[in-house]
Amino acid sequence: HKKIAAALASAAIMAALVPTSAAQAEQTGLNVQGGKIYSNGQQFIPQGINDGYAWYTDKTSVISDIAHTGANTVRVVLSGGRYGTTTTSEVENIVGQCKANKLVCILEDHDTTGYGDDSSATTLSDAVRFWQSVGSAIKGQEQYVMINIGNEPYGNNDASQWTQGTLDAVKAMRQSGFSNTLVLTAPNWGQDWQGIMQSNAKTIYQQDSNVVFDVHMYGVYNTADKVTSYIDSFVNQGLPLMVGEFGNKHSDGIPDAATIMSYTRAKGVGLLAWSWCGNSGGVEYLDRVNDWNPSSLTDWGNLYIKGTNGLEQRGVEPAGIYGGSSDRSPDGYPWCTSNAYIDPNGDGWGWENDQSCKVRSDSSQSGTQYAPNGYPYCTSSAYADSNGDGWGWENNQSCVVR
C-alpha cells in the first residue's frame, strides 16, 4: 500500500448550522446543509471504496467493478507529481466513468500525505495549484464530483498548522472558481488523534458550509468507545463527517472495523474502505479483491461488501442526481409508509414490502411528515415562516415550513 502508516449542543448552536433557506437544501447537485449532504434535494450518504488510480492507471475497470459492489461513491487517488502527474484528460475520463456507473466521484490529491513528517509530501497550497491545473475537467461537474483537497495533509510534526492551512486552502479553492463540495481530511495522517480537526471543524464550517470533514480510522480507533465518541462529537454539533478510509487491520494497530461499520450506518455517516487492490509493503491485507479480480474477494472484501453492516446490508442509495431515493433512514433501512405497519410493540420497527422498515419517531402519535430533505414539516402555525427562509423551529429541531 503506497500510503505511509499512521502514527500514533445547544439549540442556538444547532439553529446556526441549519440551511439558511429551503431552496438551498433543494438545489441541484451535491451540497451540504445542516450538517448533511444533499443531491438534488435528497439526503446523500457516501458509501463505497477507494481506488488507488494514480499508481495503477492501466486498471481501467476498477470504477465499474466498485459500482457492482453496491457502492454509491468512489474515492479516487490522483497526483500532481509525487506519484506521477494526473492530466486533465485523465480526470475527464475518471469523471465520465463515475457518471456512467452512477457513482459520486470524490477526487483526492494524494501528494499532501504526511506533510511535515515526510519530506516528499507537498502543501495544501500545492494541492490547490494541482486542482487549478485540472479545473476544466471538474468545473461544471458539481452534481457528480466532490474535491478532497489533500489527503492526510499533515502528519504529526506540523499538525497544529492544519486549521489555518485548511481555511486558506478552502478560500483559495473558492477564489479559483470551484463550487464543488470540498472534503477536508484530518491531520495526524488522517486519524486526528490530537483532536485538532475535532476541535476546529466548527470554525471552518462557519466560514464555508459546503464542506465535509474526513477522518481515517486505522489503529488509533481500536475500541468501540473511540469510534463512537469521535463520530458523536461531529454528529451532535450538526457537523458533516465521513470516514474516508478505514481497514480491519493496519500496521499501527487493529481498528474496530465492526463498530466503524455499524456506527456509521446507525448515524448516517459516510464510509469508504481502503482500498480496491494494489496494496503493498506488508499491508496487502487491505486489498478488497485478489489480483484485481472482482469475482475473487479477499477476507477484507467479504467483510466490507457481504458482511454484517457491509455494503450489501446497508441499503445504499445512489445520489439523487442519479435518481436515488430519500425514503430511507440514516442506517439504510426504508421508512415505513403504511399505517398498517405502524410499530405495534414499540421497538421502532415495522414490516413492509417483504422487508423490515423503520418507524419514524412519534409518527403514530403525531402524524409527523417529512420533507424530501429529511427534515420534518412544521406542524404548528406558531412556527410559521416569519422571515421567509422556509424554516421553523419545533420540538427542539429545525422543521420545513409548507
Side-chain angles (χ1 to χ4, degrees):
H1 162 31
K2 307 290 174 91
K3 289 168 43 29
I4 299 176
L8 284 187
S10 69
I13 293 174
M14 293 305 294
L17 296 179
V18 299
T20 56
S21 73
Q24 285 179 296
E26 297 289 344
Q27 69 185 356
T28 299
L30 292 161
N31 63 101
V32 180
Q33 300 293 343
K36 300 179 187 297
I37 307 169
Y38 293 93
S39 172
N40 266 18
Q42 297 178 358
Q43 187 179 347
F44 173 66
I45 302 171
Q47 297 167 89
I49 300 170
N50 283 268
D51 169 16
Y53 171 81
W55 303 301
Y56 300 103
T57 57
D58 59 322
K59 304 299 183 182
T60 56
S61 68
V62 172
I63 290 176
S64 174
D65 292 339
I66 288 174
H68 283 90
T69 68
N72 64 13
T73 304
V74 58
R75 182 171 177 262
V76 185
V77 175
L78 308 181
S79 177
R82 184 177 178 184
Y83 305 107
T85 301
T86 308
T87 66
T88 302
S89 61
E90 287 178 275
V91 176
E92 288 174 348
N93 183 54
I94 290 166
V95 173
Q97 288 186 53
C98 287
K99 292 164 71 172
N101 287 282
K102 296 186 176 181
L103 294 175
V104 165
C105 264
I106 298 178
L107 303 178
E108 63 105 333
D109 180 5
H110 217 75
D111 295 353
T112 56
T113 305
Y115 177 75
D117 294 8
D118 188 325
S119 61
S120 64
T122 61
T123 66
L124 281 173
S125 295
D126 293 324
V128 171
R129 283 187 282 272
F130 166 69
W131 294 116
Q132 290 168 338
S133 75
V134 296
S136 62
I138 300 171
K139 293 174 182 177
Q141 304 297 327
E142 293 81 8
Q143 303 99 320
Y144 311 98
V145 176
M146 303 166 80
I147 302 174
N148 192 167
I149 302 178
N151 180 67
E152 302 179 0
Y154 293 90
N156 297 317
N157 293 330
D158 294 330
S160 63
Q161 298 178 18
W162 180 87
T163 303
Q164 191 59 52
T166 300
L167 284 166
D168 292 344
V170 170
K171 183 178 180 181
M173 290 292 286
R174 298 306 187 208
Q175 290 176 338
S176 299
F178 293 98
S179 57
N180 308 68
T181 299
L182 300 177
V183 178
L184 311 176
T185 305
N188 302 129
W189 298 87
Q191 298 203 77
D192 202 27
W193 59 264
Q194 291 178 294
I196 293 169
M197 183 172 81
Q198 188 178 36
S199 299
N200 293 281
K202 192 170 92 171
T203 298
I204 294 171
Y205 189 68
Q206 288 173 335
Q207 173 184 289
D208 191 312
S209 63
N210 194 18
V211 300
V212 178
F213 299 99
D214 170 34
V215 65
H216 296 174
M217 290 190 165
Y218 291 110
V220 168
Y221 297 90
N222 58 358
T223 67
D225 179 67
K226 291 177 181 177
V227 173
T228 59
S229 62
Y230 191 89
I231 290 173
D232 283 344
S233 69
F234 282 77
V235 172
N236 292 345
Q237 293 187 80
L239 294 170
L241 179 70
M242 61 179 284
V243 179
E245 292 185 19
F246 83 110
N248 65 333
K249 303 176 185 176
H250 209 265
S251 52
D252 66 335
I254 304 299
D256 187 348
T259 300
I260 294 168
M261 292 166 67
S262 65
Y263 208 64
T264 53
R265 183 181 182 185
K267 293 295 184 175
V269 168
L271 182 68
L272 291 102
W274 186 275
S275 67
W276 185 249
C277 197
N279 291 290
S280 61
V283 292
E284 290 83 357
Y285 48 73
L286 288 172
D287 284 356
R288 195 74 58 252
V289 298
N290 294 300
D291 196 27
W292 304 96
N293 182 356
S295 300
S296 179
L297 296 177
T298 62
D299 290 344
W300 177 214
N302 267 304
L303 175 67
Y304 182 63
I305 296 169
K306 297 182 176 295
T308 302
N309 296 307
L311 288 178
E312 292 184 358
Q313 281 195 8
R314 293 172 81 92
V316 178
E317 288 284 348
I321 194 70
Y322 297 124
S325 170
S326 62
D327 295 329
R328 286 185 179 269
S329 61
D331 59 8
Y333 287 94
W335 295 113
C336 300
T337 60
S338 170
N339 288 335
Y341 300 93
I342 288 300
D343 188 13
N345 61 359
D347 68 353
W349 292 91
W351 185 261
E352 193 172 38
N353 299 322
D354 295 322
Q355 63 177 325
S356 294
C357 57
K358 292 290 290 290
V359 177
R360 294 189 192 272
S361 176
D362 296 324
S363 61
S364 58
Q365 289 77 27
S366 67
T368 301
Q369 294 183 310
Y370 289 75
N373 60 18
Y375 286 91
Y377 285 116
C378 302
T379 59
S380 171
S381 58
Y383 298 93
D385 186 14
S386 59
N387 62 358
D389 70 352
W391 292 89
W393 185 261
E394 191 173 41
N395 299 322
N396 293 317
Q397 64 177 326
S398 295
C399 56
V400 176
V401 176
R402 287 194 280 194

